[in-house]
Amino acid sequence: MDKKNCYVCGKKNLNKNEIGLTKKLLDKNSKYFYCLDCLAEYLEVDTEFLLAKIEEFKEQGCILF
């Protein structure tokens, strides 16, 4: 798998959670990905909220994480 970078800030090598969250919340087929900080800013929420959502989606068995 090629390494993904943040579409906004350019952070290199986004982790599986950042890629999965972008797909889950924005577009399953997205070619552009956001780091946690940039996604939080884009969605106007704090990073703690997104971290909680990641755990919630994992508990639900979401395969994106």
Side-chain angles (χ1 to χ4, degrees):
M1 183 170 111
D2 61 312
K3 299 294 180 185
K4 307 280 193 284
N5 299 333
C6 179
Y7 178 67
V8 177
C9 72
K11 175 185 171 188
K12 295 186 183 308
N13 304 327
L14 297 179
N15 65 44
K16 184 177 181 181
N17 289 338
E18 291 168 317
I19 293 168
L21 198 59
T22 299
K23 288 182 173 188
K24 181 79 172 175
L25 298 180
L26 300 182
D27 181 1
K28 179 175 67 170
N29 299 312
S30 182
K31 303 288 187 239
Y32 302 101
F33 302 96
Y34 293 81
C35 70
L36 203 58
D37 292 331
C38 290
L39 185 59
E41 186 175 329
Y42 178 76
L43 296 174
E44 298 179 352
V45 298
D46 57 36
T47 55
E48 290 78 19
F49 175 80
L50 293 180
L51 289 169
K53 293 308 282 182
I54 289 169
E55 292 308 312
E56 182 181 321
F57 294 141
K58 283 181 179 181
E59 288 173 9
Q60 293 172 352
C62 180
I63 62 170
L64 295 173
F65 301 93

